[in-house]
Amino acid sequence: MNFIIGWYILYVKSRCEKKVYESLKDISLESFLPQTKTIKQWSDRKKIIVKPLFPSYVFVNVNSSLEFHKALSVNGACTYIRFGKEYARVTEKEINQLKLLIGDKNISDIETHAELPKIGEVKKITYGPLNGLDCEIIKADNHNKIIVRIDSLQQNIMATIPSYILSKTSII
C-alpha cells in the first residue's frame, strides 16, 4: 500500500459507529463521527434521536501506516472504504465543512443519499458553512431542499436551508 497521511473512511459494524468512535479516541486516534438529530415517530410519542449522518462510517485521521492499521484493531471496525484499488480519502476542507454543516442551527432535516442528483437547477451556495459549494435544488414538502455532492465520499447530503443563501443564476 502506498500510504498517504490524511482522513480515511472506516467502515464499521451496523449501529457500532459511536462505540468505534469512542474507542478510537481512547487509543488517541483523531476521528470524526458526524451526527444529526432527527424526530422519530412512534404510535404514542415522538422523540428526538441522534444518529450518524453516514451510517457505518467513521472518519479517521491517520499520520502513519501504524495508525492506519491500529484503527482496524478497534472492536467493531471492519475495513476501510475503497473505490477500486484506492482507499477513499476525505480532504481536511470537506471534514471542516461537514463539522460546520452539522453545527449550523439554521440547517435542519439533514439526510444523506448515495445516488446522483437527476433533476433540478444547479446553484451555488453564497453564505454560511457551505459557502461556495454547488448544489442541486429539490422542491419537497414546500421546503427548499438542496443536495450537496461530496465527491471523495461518493455521497450526497440533503438539507433544508433558507433560499436567500442561494445564487439566482445556475452554474455549469
Side-chain angles (χ1 to χ4, degrees), residues 16-25 31-33 58:
C16 289
E17 299 92 352
K18 292 176 190 173
K19 186 172 142 185
V20 169
Y21 171 70
E22 293 297 328
S23 296
L24 289 168
K25 285 187 354 186
S31 56
F32 175 52
L33 176 61
V58 176

Side-chain angles (χ1 to χ4, degrees), residues 4 6 12 16 32 40 46 74 80 89 120 140 161 171:
I4 301 171
V12 301
C16 289
F32 175 52
K40 188 79 171 174
K46 288 183 182 180
V74 170
Y80 285 99
R89 295 187 58 243
I161 64 167
I171 55 173

Side-chain angles (χ1 to χ4, degrees), residues 8 18 37 60 77 104-105 110 120 126 129 153 163-164:
Y8 288 85
K18 292 176 190 173
K37 291 180 183 176
V60 184
D104 192 323
K105 303 299 180 217
I110 301 173
T126 59
L153 285 179
S163 60
Y164 65 84

Side-chain angles (χ1 to χ4, degrees), residues 66-95:
L66 179 65
E67 285 184 354
F68 185 86
H69 295 292
K70 190 176 178 183
L72 286 173
S73 69
V74 170
N75 190 24
C78 298
T79 188
Y80 285 99
I81 299 295
R82 294 173 88 153
F83 297 116
K85 294 181 180 181
E86 297 293 318
Y87 287 100
R89 295 187 58 243
V90 181
T91 66
E92 189 76 33
K93 179 181 177 183
E94 289 170 326
I95 291 292

Side-chain angles (χ1 to χ4, degrees), residues 106-108 125 130 135 144-146 159-163 165-166:
N106 293 322
I107 299 176
S108 61
I125 299 173
L130 301 178
C135 62
N144 292 312
K145 291 207 173 196
I146 63 154
T160 303
I161 64 167
S163 60
I165 70 172
L166 299 173

